Amino acid sequence: MKRMRALAAVAFDLDDTLYPERDFVRSGYRAVAEWAETHLGLAAPIVQAELDALFAAGLRREVFNLWLEERGLDPARWVETMVAVYREHSPRISMFADAAALLEVLESHGVRRGVITEGYRAVQESKLRALGLAEAFEVVVIGGEEVRERWKPSRAPFEEWLSRMKVHAQESCYIGDDPAKDFRGAREVGMRTMRVRRAEGLHAQEEPPTPGDEPEVEVLDLDEAAHILLPGAA
Ligand SMILES: [Mg+2]
């Protein structure tokens, strides 16, 4: 991809590519901690610190269950509510500065832009709104909770994005951060692939599980991406 001719469009992953996913998690825990203060009579800052510590220890899906158990509370009674508070909170997140800069430089060079992401649909939509990106992209493909079989690494979301964009795979690039799911489907449909491996990213230490999952190129941040995508322009 040293000289990629006729770059027409770029599709971005959302979490940890355009904004720090850790900030979403922290903002969700803060909402849950405030809920716990109101409904369980616990001090919100302490609850937030406890949830943060579990996340920092590498726990993900089990955080609320474990926290409830450690607090002597019944997970069966509370966990669903906590998950709902987490998912429905208004996230306090903002874009990586280099992501905002890359979107601008792509726009100024007439490169079309989109997003391919997945997760709970309402959550992904609320993240885009919080980032001020609700209207920023031509085509946003969100694989919601009802279509898990179409989530990356499936090629389905990439095919959908290309077809809605009416753009050729070979003149498009997908930029993501997760080697376990971001690149295989994109490669299979013929898109260029770029991994942004930020030092603080949640997947920074992970390697592609198979050769088919390897990105074509890897960058440390999106400033470097701009130089590769638009040589001489950024
Ligand atoms: Mg990601």
Side-chain angles (χ1 to χ4, degrees):
M1 193 146 59
K2 287 225 169 75
R3 276 195 61 85
M4 198 168 72
R5 281 179 210 152
L7 175 69
V10 175
F12 292 88
D13 166 58
L14 179 54
D15 301 301
D16 255 359
T17 296
L18 292 179
Y19 82 96
E21 187 164 12
R22 242 174 251 281
D23 288 357
F24 175 82
V25 174
R26 279 189 57 80
S27 135
Y29 288 169
R30 178 173 173 160
V32 171
E34 284 163 4
W35 167 88
E37 181 160 302
T38 306
H39 296 274
L40 302 176
L42 303 169
I46 292 172
V47 173
Q48 165 126 35
E50 290 169 349
L51 294 171
D52 286 344
L54 289 170
F55 185 81
L59 296 160
R60 296 295 181 263
R61 295 177 172 278
E62 324 87 308
V63 163
F64 295 147
N65 266 303
L66 273 172
W67 178 81
L68 286 162
E69 281 170 14
E70 284 181 2
R71 279 285 191 169
L73 297 159
D74 180 10
R77 177 162 179 204
W78 298 113
V79 78
E80 271 184 40
T81 307
M82 293 174 75
V83 170
V85 169
Y86 180 86
R87 285 195 184 136
E88 289 162 19
H89 87 285
S90 298
R92 302 177 195 208
I93 52 177
S94 49
M95 258 196 294
F96 286 119
D98 60 359
L102 177 58
L103 289 176
E104 250 177 58
V105 75
L106 290 174
E107 180 173 18
S108 71
H109 285 78
V111 178
R112 300 163 64 202
R113 297 152 321 277
V115 163
I116 301 171
T117 182
E118 67 280 302
Y120 277 81
R121 182 175 300 281
V123 173
Q124 297 310 81
E125 284 170 351
S126 81
K127 290 172 183 171
L128 285 167
R129 275 196 307 277
L131 295 169
L133 294 174
E135 311 293 331
F137 297 102
E138 207 170 325
V139 172
V140 175
V141 172
I142 298 177
E145 60 275 22
E146 75 288 358
V147 288
R148 281 178 185 267
E149 73 285 356
R150 292 173 60 85
W151 286 14
K152 295 173 290 184
S154 162
R155 56 196 289 167
F158 299 99
E159 284 169 341
E160 177 185 343
W161 187 79
L162 291 168
S163 124
R164 286 171 58 190
M165 287 286 284
K166 296 185 175 60
V167 71
H168 291 294
Q170 294 77 6
E171 47 186 24
S172 308
C173 181
Y174 187 64
I175 303 181
D177 69 293
D178 184 350
K181 64 178 195 184
D182 280 337
F183 310 115
R184 178 156 26 117
R187 285 180 53 157
E188 284 175 8
V189 302
M191 292 177 77
R192 308 269 178 163
T193 51
M194 179 183 281
R195 174 179 183 180
V196 56
R197 192 169 190 159
R198 304 176 190 278
E200 72 276 27
L202 297 181
H203 300 289
Q205 305 309 318
E206 297 166 18
E207 300 304 330
T210 75
D213 291 293
E214 284 169 11
E216 190 176 340
V217 65
E218 185 172 301
V219 295
L220 292 172
D221 57 43
L222 294 180
D223 292 328
E224 193 183 353
H227 290 290
I228 292 172
L229 293 168
L230 297 164

